[in-house]
């Protein structure tokens, strides 16, 4: 680890990490994962990116503005994590490649950009819009659970992903010495919390307390979100 830190110090390359999602709603599992990645991988910045209209999953039942407001509440007092609303402001379907192109244009070619995702997202990466372009713009940091398995090279569906891993597998030092192009696998024990679980608890009249920040729970209760009578405007 000392050698890695020496490389990081010598490179002096600004490192930005992005953690995207619907955050419907934001919960402690999201927050803990983002904070741990920032600290362990020593990123200069970690931004949370709420998506507007996710292209690969059902549109959330509450508005993008409400999801962003809950995220802002969750991040109050945490200087290590920040909110980036660019995907909400851009509107339309949310494509990660568009966000990375926008950021690369803003930051130039020298900054290191890392897009963080879970293993489930990696396994569907070949269905993302212009997915081959992603590593030309950023690194991909894939958070895996203990006991995970790499995509099978002989699989018709996952073969391209196995090849991607073989050709672009990187190290922590690469995130600090290169601007883009590496795929890092990071095994991490994640809190067993899901947004789906929280929504189902609320819908059934049970409390999700201690699964998400108290300020977020208060917001949900004040706006009657995730109940059958709730009507967040899904923009």
């Amino acid at each position: 680890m000392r050698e890695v830190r020496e490389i990081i110090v010598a490179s002096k390359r600004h490192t930005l990490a992005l953690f995207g999602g619907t955050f419907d709603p934001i919960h402690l599992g999201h927050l803990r994962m983002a904070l741990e990645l920032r600290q362990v991988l020593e990123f200069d910045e970690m931004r949370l990116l709420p998506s507007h209209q996710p292209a690969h999953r059902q549109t959330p039942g509450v508005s993008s503005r409400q999801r962003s407001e809950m995220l802002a509440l969750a991040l109050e007092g945490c200087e290590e994590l920040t909110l980036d609303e660019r995907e909400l402001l851009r509107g339309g379907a949310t494509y990660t490649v568009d966000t990375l192109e926008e950021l690369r244009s803003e930051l130039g070619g020298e900054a290191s950009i890392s897009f963080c995702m879970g293993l489930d997202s990696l396994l569907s990466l070949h269905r993302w819009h212009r997915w081959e372009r992603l590593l030309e713009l950023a690194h991909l940091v894939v958070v895996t659970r203990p006991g995970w398995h790499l995509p099978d090279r002989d699989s018709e569906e996952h073969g391209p992903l196995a090849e991607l891993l073989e050709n672009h597998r990187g190290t922590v030092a690469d995130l600090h010495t290169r601007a883009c192009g590496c795929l890092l696998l990071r095994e991490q024990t994640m809190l067993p919390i899901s947004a789906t679980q929280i929504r189902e608890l609320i819908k059934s009249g049970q409390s999700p307390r201690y699964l998400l920040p108290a300020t977020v729970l208060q917001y949900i209760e004040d706006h009657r979100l995730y109940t059958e009578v709730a009507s967040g405007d899904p923009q």
Side-chain angles (χ1 to χ4, degrees), residues 191-209:
L191 297 179
I193 302 171
S194 76
T196 299
Q197 172 195 18
I198 291 171
R199 295 194 302 270
E200 290 177 349
L201 284 171
I202 295 171
K203 187 175 180 179
S204 65
Q206 300 180 68
S207 173
R209 191 173 300 277

Side-chain angles (χ1 to χ4, degrees), residues 8 10-17 43-45 100-101 103-114 136-139 173-181:
I8 291 172
S11 71
K12 296 183 180 178
R13 188 186 295 271
H14 184 78
T15 55
L16 166 65
F43 292 119
D44 294 319
E45 293 184 72
L100 294 178
E101 286 181 336
L103 278 164
R104 184 56 70 189
S105 178
E106 291 176 10
L107 301 176
E110 289 302 311
S112 170
I113 301 175
S114 293
E136 297 174 6
L137 299 164
H139 303 296
D174 288 326
L175 305 183
H176 294 265
T177 58
R178 299 176 58 183
C180 59

Side-chain angles (χ1 to χ4, degrees), residues 135-206:
L135 283 172
E136 297 174 6
L137 299 164
H139 303 296
L140 298 181
V141 176
V142 181
V143 180
T144 66
R145 298 176 184 272
W148 57 275
H149 299 285
L150 289 173
D152 186 351
R153 186 177 179 83
D154 296 327
S155 166
E156 182 176 346
E157 181 179 8
H158 294 147
L161 298 177
E163 184 176 350
L164 189 77
L165 277 167
E166 289 180 10
N167 295 336
H168 296 277
R169 190 80 172 262
T171 66
V172 175
D174 288 326
L175 305 183
H176 294 265
T177 58
R178 299 176 58 183
C180 59
C182 294
L183 198 158
L184 177 73
L185 296 173
R186 169 75 189 170
E187 188 171 294
Q188 184 170 321
T189 301
M190 291 173 274
L191 297 179
I193 302 171
S194 76
T196 299
Q197 172 195 18
I198 291 171
R199 295 194 302 270
E200 290 177 349
L201 284 171
I202 295 171
K203 187 175 180 179
S204 65
Q206 300 180 68

Side-chain angles (χ1 to χ4, degrees), residues 14 16-21 23 45-53 64-65 67-68 71 82-108 113 115:
H14 184 78
L16 166 65
L18 306 167
F19 180 28
F23 303 118
E45 293 184 72
M46 170 62 84
R47 301 184 192 177
L48 276 68
L49 281 162
S51 61
H52 181 54
Q53 293 178 0
S64 54
R65 175 51 51 195
R67 289 184 286 113
S68 181
L71 187 45
T82 58
L83 170 62
D84 190 323
E85 294 185 300
R86 68 181 61 241
E87 293 185 348
L88 309 185
L89 299 175
R90 190 166 65 232
T94 300
Y95 295 112
T96 298
V97 67
D98 294 337
T99 298
L100 294 178
E101 286 181 336
E102 186 178 305
L103 278 164
R104 184 56 70 189
S105 178
E106 291 176 10
L107 301 176
I113 301 175
F115 188 83

